[in-house]
Amino acid sequence: MSVLLRNIIRFVLLLLLQVLVLNQVIIHNLVNPYIYMLFILLLPFNLPRPAVQLLGLLLGLSLDMFMDTMGIHAAACVFIAYLRPFILNVLSPQGGFEVAQKTPSITSMGPSQFAIYVSILVFLHNIVYFSLEVFSFSAPFYLLLKILVSTAASLVLILIYELLFFAGK
């Protein structure tokens, strides 16, 4: 399957999974698991930064349209799309990752590097998203707890996704 087709299918499936299933999972108004940003995280290594940011904007606006969140998801997605190359560069080994149509995964990066990569970007996404959603620092501990717990829930779902679909590759 071509890289383009695989990413189109991933975009649609992650968006539908988020909108139809995961948006219904809100525990004590504290845990909001988000997995849709995995589309941005799994784009090919060699994709230019403007293309990644444009795809992040498209993904975020698509989710904003379904959830009526007025650009909050778009802002968070463009933010992590912008930071993605920096994080990959910091985590890359001496010779860099093998970029021949490879995407970030447990097999291409190694388990620890992939976990660090995903954890940083999901955490940053949640900081931007929840800060804009709450738009108040009147309850900073609640905001921090919401960011941490939602990040943990999202990371568990991302790990499950990665193990189910890419563990054998």
Side-chain angles (χ1 to χ4, degrees), residues 40 49-54 56-57 74-88 121 124:
I40 298 167
R49 178 179 289 135
V52 175
Q53 287 179 289
L54 186 61
L57 179 65
C77 285
V78 170
F79 182 69
I80 65 169
Y82 177 77
L83 291 179
R84 179 182 181 262
F86 296 116
I87 304 299
L88 284 172
L121 288 175
L124 291 173

Side-chain angles (χ1 to χ4, degrees), residues 93-104:
Q94 187 79 20
F97 294 113
E98 189 178 321
V99 295
Q101 297 295 344
K102 290 263 186 169
T103 62

Side-chain angles (χ1 to χ4, degrees), residues 7-79:
N7 282 311
I8 290 171
I9 291 170
R10 182 181 296 142
F11 180 93
V12 171
L13 290 179
L14 285 173
L15 188 65
L16 289 175
L17 176 66
Q18 186 66 53
V19 169
L20 299 175
V21 178
L22 295 177
N23 285 349
Q24 311 310 317
V25 178
I26 299 174
I27 303 168
H28 298 294
N29 203 20
L30 194 64
V31 179
N32 298 78
Y34 291 114
I35 194 172
Y36 72 94
M37 83 278 285
L38 192 56
F39 171 76
I40 298 167
L41 302 179
L42 297 181
L43 288 171
F45 286 118
N46 58 356
L47 201 61
R49 178 179 289 135
V52 175
Q53 287 179 289
L54 186 61
L55 289 169
L57 179 65
L58 180 65
L59 177 65
L61 287 176
S62 299
L63 201 57
D64 285 328
M65 182 181 67
F66 283 110
M67 295 179 62
D68 197 26
T69 50
M70 300 187 319
I72 298 174
H73 287 284
C77 285
V78 170
F79 182 69

